[in-house]
Amino acid sequence: MMDLNNQINLEHLLFVDRQCRSCNKIKNLLEDYYLTRKDRGYFPSAYSYECKECTVKRVIKNRKKINDLAVPEYPDW
């Protein structure tokens, strides 16, 4: 009789890699992606589809746009 516990690891049942939707690089799901739905546990569907590096770049880029709009241009009288 075969021992299934020795043949199947937890890594075989979980997705451990995911392709980022921004940079299209394949990265480790648990280390390189943010957990977006903490109430669902550590299932692959609970992680973002954008890697941490791309998320930081996107947020920095969008904050610069918002900050530029927040500073009013005063007329030079």
Side-chain angles (χ1 to χ4, degrees), residues 3-54:
D3 188 14
L4 292 178
N5 290 335
N6 290 334
Q7 293 181 3
I8 298 176
N9 293 331
L10 183 60
E11 291 181 5
H12 292 113
L13 300 176
L14 297 175
F15 296 108
V16 292
D17 291 330
R18 177 175 281 178
Q19 183 175 4
C20 176
R21 68 178 182 179
S22 298
C23 65
N24 294 325
K25 294 181 182 176
I26 296 176
K27 298 183 178 184
N28 187 314
L29 180 66
L30 301 177
E31 295 174 0
D32 296 323
Y33 292 89
Y34 286 114
L35 184 64
T36 58
R37 298 179 183 148
K38 295 179 182 174
D39 61 331
R40 292 193 182 180
Y42 295 101
F43 293 109
S45 62
Y47 286 87
S48 170
Y49 285 89
E50 185 178 48
C51 69
K52 289 180 180 180
E53 185 178 328
C54 291

